[in-house]
Amino acid sequence: MTAADTPAIAVKDLSVVFGQGREAFQAVRGVSFQVREGETYGLVGESGSGKSTVLRAITGLAPVTGGRMEIFGQPLGHDRDAAFCRTVQMVFQDPYASLHPRRTIDATLSEPLIIHGIGDRQERAERVLKALADVGLGPEFRFRYPHQLSGGQRQRVAIARALMLEPKIVLLDEPTSALDVSIQAEVLNLLKRLKDEHGLTYVLVSHNLAVIAHMCERLAVMQHGRFVEEMTVEQLRAGTPREEYTRNLLDAARGYDREKAARFAAMEALEEE
Ligand SMILES: Nc1ncnc2c1ncn2[C@@H]1O[C@H](COP(=O)(O)OP(=O)(O)OP(=O)(O)O)[C@@H](O)[C@H]1O
Ligand SMILES: [Mg+2]
């Protein structure tokens, strides 16, 4: 296998079990997938199906009980070292919870550089300003605190933080679902642009099939800790999934959109009266 064929992420037969004995709960069951370099790979499925746990297993935050994982061909052991952190970063759903409330944006963005011994004070300041500009925030944001930012701006800071170490892979766990609908598209388009500019590989978890269709090349559908089906975004768009569970998920999403559209139409009609 040549270097070009080596997947960015290879997961084989992954199992995750929380707790022990009678309390044991298997959250991920024999999950296998590969993500090519430069690809955006989606994970969808109902709440509790194990999507976040798969991402957390990759980052070493979940109790892996079986299987193998490789990042660019390097097997992952029990611990994640500094080289791993430089290669793989994660963005969480809730930008309110993921930023330290008493740290300035400058401190939050400088921290990974300090931990990894990168640059002197001057260089770090330059990289912080560059990172802010990259996510569409001006220098005036540098010494603000999280509570002085909107939800969308906070998520931009969380994305900037994930990119400080110039990773190759970013794991995105519902990166826009805590945001106002009007801001969601902005942040998704930002993620797309950053992916092209920095040559990133994404795994994107979302409940929202429209988000997955907009962002991903391939996706997996999860249910009860298993992969029910893996498909291309073309298959998703064409509405031709093989598995009944996936069809139901699609129908539910369409039904939801129709219901929402009908409600909006009804509201507009009322306003016009
Ligand atoms: N630390 C934990 N201890 C015990 N059980 C856990 C833990 N973390 C997750 N679980 C369980 O594992 C299952 C999968 O959780 P996970 O967070 O991966 O779901 P999810 O697909 O991301 O759901 P959501 O869409 O709601 O975020 C759930 O039943 C959850 O209760
Ligand atoms: Mg989750």
Side-chain angles (χ1 to χ4, degrees):
M1 196 189 254
T2 66
D5 296 329
T6 308
I9 304 172
V11 172
K12 181 104 187 83
D13 269 336
L14 175 69
S15 303
V16 176
V17 177
F18 290 109
Q20 287 177 344
R22 291 175 57 181
E23 303 286 294
F25 175 78
Q26 185 159 8
V28 176
R29 300 163 182 268
V31 159
S32 302
F33 65 104
Q34 299 197 345
V35 183
R36 290 188 292 270
E37 184 170 14
E39 189 175 28
T40 299
Y41 189 91
L43 288 181
V44 288
E46 63 200 16
S47 184
S49 56
K51 307 180 298 293
S52 298
T53 305
V54 169
L55 298 191
R56 293 168 72 86
I58 295 171
T59 55
L61 296 169
V64 172
T65 53
R68 281 183 290 124
M69 294 184 280
E70 289 179 5
I71 299 297
F72 291 108
Q74 295 294 315
L76 293 181
H78 192 265
D79 297 315
R80 301 291 178 267
D81 57 9
F84 176 87
C85 296
R86 285 177 182 226
T87 309
V88 184
Q89 287 283 319
M90 186 152 165
V91 174
F92 297 90
Q93 169 172 1
D94 185 357
Y96 293 83
S98 68
L99 298 179
H100 194 294
R102 284 193 291 278
R103 270 193 209 139
T104 63
I105 304 311
D106 183 69
T108 292
L109 296 183
S110 304
E111 189 184 32
L113 301 178
I114 295 170
I115 290 173
H116 288 260
I118 296 168
D120 57 20
R121 194 175 283 268
Q122 171 75 29
E123 283 159 353
R124 287 199 298 267
E126 281 164 15
R127 280 179 69 153
V128 166
L129 287 169
K130 160 107 182 23
L132 283 173
D134 253 6
V135 297
L137 296 174
E140 69 275 18
F141 286 90
R142 186 172 162 203
F143 294 107
R144 289 203 198 165
Y145 289 89
H147 75 266
Q148 296 169 316
L149 271 55
S150 71
Q153 289 165 345
R154 283 183 208 210
Q155 197 57 312
R156 285 170 191 267
V157 171
I159 292 164
R161 179 180 53 186
L163 297 182
M164 286 312 289
L165 296 174
E166 298 175 349
K168 305 287 288 170
I169 297 171
V170 183
L171 309 177
L172 302 158
D173 194 354
E174 304 266 11
T176 60
S177 54
L179 304 177
D180 204 85
V181 178
S182 61
I183 308 297
Q184 283 186 16
E186 257 178 58
V187 173
L188 291 174
N189 288 331
L190 169 69
L191 287 168
K192 271 196 161 180
R193 176 170 63 74
L194 291 170
K195 185 188 149 190
D196 292 342
E197 287 174 4
H198 296 258
L200 300 168
T201 301
Y202 286 156
V203 180
L204 172 67
V205 166
S206 179
H207 282 90
N208 187 328
L209 284 166
V211 168
I212 295 282
H214 181 62
M215 298 292 290
C216 300
E217 279 100 62
R218 289 186 303 141
L219 61 136
V221 180
M222 287 193 76
Q223 184 190 25
H224 304 318
R226 288 199 176 83
F227 272 20
V228 178
E229 179 161 13
E230 192 178 55
M231 58 183 170
T232 65
V233 75
E234 289 75 26
Q235 288 170 308
L236 175 71
R237 290 212 184 97
T240 52
R242 277 181 290 118
E243 298 295 326
E244 186 180 352
Y245 177 73
T246 313
R247 276 198 297 277
N248 289 340
L249 200 72
L250 279 176
D251 288 346
R254 289 205 194 90
Y256 175 70
D257 288 346
R258 265 203 299 275
E259 202 182 289
K260 211 164 57 177
R263 268 206 310 275
F264 277 130
M267 269 163 52
E268 275 174 11
L270 276 178
E271 278 165 14
E272 277 167 17
E273 272 174 12

